[in-house]
């Protein structure tokens, strides 16, 4: 199995980076849109893709741990190294805990979890009004909702910093960081 080198990322690293990155950006954008517009019709899609991406994220985390962290493409100050580590850890942990908090919020809130129409966790309908649900544990659902919301803003900030950092490397530092994540050898 091909591993990353200081000069080139493996096809597995590239695929996992772009699949997780683009899916998380899409899920974050849709999540913000759903909250702002109350677009309830999008919730099943959001939950389904969130459930699927969780397993891809686990593969990515396993690959990152076994493959190691990338070697920087240039020489940077200690503050840049620290900022890069903080942003990368925020992205890794955010992509793990966003789907977990979303699933806990939905299931503990009584909404269940459906993945493209397949029931993973059943809803808990209110016997008095079957069009509504009863939470299994409102406190846990509320806590998970708060975590999901705050993690969403944290991951959005980390994604913005990640993109700004990549552009800084490309435009100002003129190193191979951005080229390498697009598959080029540096």
């Amino acid at each position: 199995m091909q591993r990353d080198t200081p000069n080139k990322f493996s096809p597995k690293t590239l695929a996992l980076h772009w699949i997780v990155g683009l899916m998380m950006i899409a899920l974050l954008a849709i999540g913000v849109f759903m909250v702002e517009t109350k677009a309830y019709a999008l919730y099943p899609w959001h939950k389904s893709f969130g459930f699927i991406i969780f397993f891809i994220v686990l593969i990515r985390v396993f690959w990152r741990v076994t493959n190691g962290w990338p070697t920087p493409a240039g020489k940077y100050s200690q503050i840049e190294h620290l900022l890069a580590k903080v942003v990368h850890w925020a992205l890794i942990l955010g992509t793990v805990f966003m789907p977990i908090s979303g699933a806990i919020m939905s299931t503990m809130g009584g909404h269940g979890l459906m993945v493209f129409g397949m029931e993973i966790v059943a809803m808990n309908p209110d016997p008095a009004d079957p069009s509504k649900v009863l939470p299994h544990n409102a406190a846990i659902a509320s806590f998970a909702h708060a975590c999901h919301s705050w993690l969403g803003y944290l991951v959005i900030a980390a994604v913005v910093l990640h993109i700004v950092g990549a552009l800084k490397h490309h435009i100002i530092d003129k190193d191979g960081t951005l080229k390498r994540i697009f598959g080029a050898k540096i």
Side-chain angles (χ1 to χ4, degrees):
M1 180 176 296
Q2 185 180 349
R3 298 215 177 253
D4 295 343
T5 69
N7 299 325
K8 185 162 176 56
F9 287 144
S10 70
K12 189 172 194 171
T13 294
L14 295 171
L16 289 170
H17 174 272
W18 288 108
I19 291 168
V20 170
L22 293 173
M23 284 290 297
M24 288 303 293
I25 289 169
L27 285 167
L28 287 163
I30 291 167
V32 169
F33 179 78
M34 289 183 327
V35 168
E36 295 295 321
T37 65
K38 305 209 183 319
Y40 298 116
L42 294 176
Y43 278 76
W45 290 97
H46 183 79
K47 290 178 187 182
S48 295
F49 282 108
F51 183 84
I52 300 297
I53 197 64
F54 175 69
F55 295 100
I56 300 170
V57 165
L58 290 180
I59 293 167
R60 183 170 190 271
V61 169
F62 178 77
W63 177 247
R64 178 55 53 226
V65 168
T66 59
N67 189 47
W69 290 94
T71 304
K75 301 284 184 208
Y76 311 108
S77 69
Q78 283 186 327
I79 192 73
E80 286 177 297
H81 278 291
L82 178 62
L83 186 56
K85 282 184 181 184
V86 168
V87 169
H88 282 115
W89 275 106
L91 290 169
I92 292 278
L93 294 174
T95 58
V96 169
F97 289 110
M98 282 293 294
I100 291 172
S101 61
I104 292 170
M105 173 178 58
S106 184
T107 56
M108 290 294 105
H111 298 282
L113 183 60
M114 300 281 282
V115 177
F116 301 113
M118 184 174 68
E119 186 177 77
I120 305 298
V121 177
M123 291 175 54
N124 188 29
D126 183 347
D129 183 358
S131 67
K132 295 183 179 178
V133 296
L134 293 174
H136 291 289
N137 188 315
I140 291 175
S142 179
F143 178 74
H145 182 270
C147 290
H148 198 68
S149 180
W150 283 104
L151 279 169
Y153 292 120
L154 173 75
V155 173
I156 289 169
V159 166
V160 169
L161 286 172
H162 187 63
I163 293 168
V164 167
L167 291 173
K168 180 239 181 227
H169 283 292
H170 187 70
I171 296 167
I172 296 171
D173 299 334
K174 299 189 185 319
D175 64 23
T177 299
L178 194 59
K179 291 177 185 175
R180 187 168 61 176
I181 201 59
F182 279 108
K185 185 174 184 178
I186 61 168

